[in-house]
Amino acid sequence: MATINNNSTSLEPIALIGMSCEFAGDIHSPNDLWDALKESRDVGSETPIDRFDLESFTAHMINMDNNGQLRQKLLRAGYFMSNRQWDMFESSFFDLSDAEAGSVDPCHRLLMLKFVHLLDDAGYSVDKINGTKTSVHIGQFSTDHAIATTRMKPEHRSRFHGPNSLLYNASTRLSYHFNLHGPNVSLDVACSSSLEALHMGVQCLR
């Protein structure tokens, strides 16, 4: 997020006045992240069964695994965000119906929620940011939701699934729902997407 000031100069330092984040290991805020770093905590865990039932999915292969090598090679752990953030998402707060909210990319839902946390951390309210010349630059390259949508049976898709599976919604939803009037960019340049989005935000300020 960057609020544009046409009087700024290219030499003026840029201040970060607010942060929000979500990571595995029940890390829901910058303070949580700092505590995990101080403690050198490994936030990995075994794969939750409600996320992916590994044993059931691979049962037919394990039954043919006479020497046990496949069982040894199975990845049984990873870094998983908790389901807590989904319980906190109120579709009505973002003027979304339950049907539309259910079709929105989960990454975008989390982004919308964290944007509100970002405003709060920066000392802004939703009303204060409303109508401002604030730009939004988002780096994202995950297409998991789009792929999953194409695999859904037609009778399970709503009219919202098509547009809501596209990456441009990452930034446009924020500008639309919070009435932000600055430039809006959803950027996909692979692994450097977030860094490039940050660079563009700084350029926009200057």
Side-chain angles (χ1 to χ4, degrees), residues 98-115:
D98 290 340
E100 184 174 5
S103 68
V104 173
D105 188 326
C107 292
H108 297 176
R109 272 183 280 162
L110 181 59
L111 178 65
M112 295 165 73
L113 185 63
K114 287 300 167 180
F115 184 78

Side-chain angles (χ1 to χ4, degrees), residues 192-206:
S192 61
S193 296
S194 295
L195 184 60
E196 184 64 24
L198 177 62
H199 174 66
M200 292 180 68
V202 171
Q203 286 184 316
C204 197
L205 283 168
R206 290 175 169 168

Side-chain angles (χ1 to χ4, degrees), residues 29-104:
S29 69
N31 286 336
D32 292 341
L33 177 60
W34 180 244
D35 289 339
L37 292 173
K38 285 195 302 182
E39 299 166 7
S40 298
R41 190 191 317 156
D42 183 355
V43 296
S45 65
E46 290 189 2
T47 305
I49 194 169
D50 62 343
R51 190 71 59 86
F52 181 61
D53 190 347
L54 184 64
E55 295 292 339
S56 296
F57 187 76
T58 59
H60 64 292
M61 293 183 286
I62 291 177
N63 290 336
M64 296 183 292
D65 183 28
N66 296 325
N67 57 13
Q69 289 188 6
L70 175 62
R71 185 179 291 274
Q72 293 177 7
K73 293 178 181 178
L74 288 178
L75 296 177
R76 301 178 179 275
Y79 295 86
F80 303 93
M81 291 191 294
S82 73
N83 292 325
R84 174 184 167 187
Q85 66 270 17
W86 311 128
D87 297 333
M88 296 173 62
F89 188 86
E90 291 286 345
S91 55
S92 59
F93 179 81
F94 298 101
D95 297 322
L96 295 172
S97 66
D98 290 340
E100 184 174 5
S103 68
V104 173

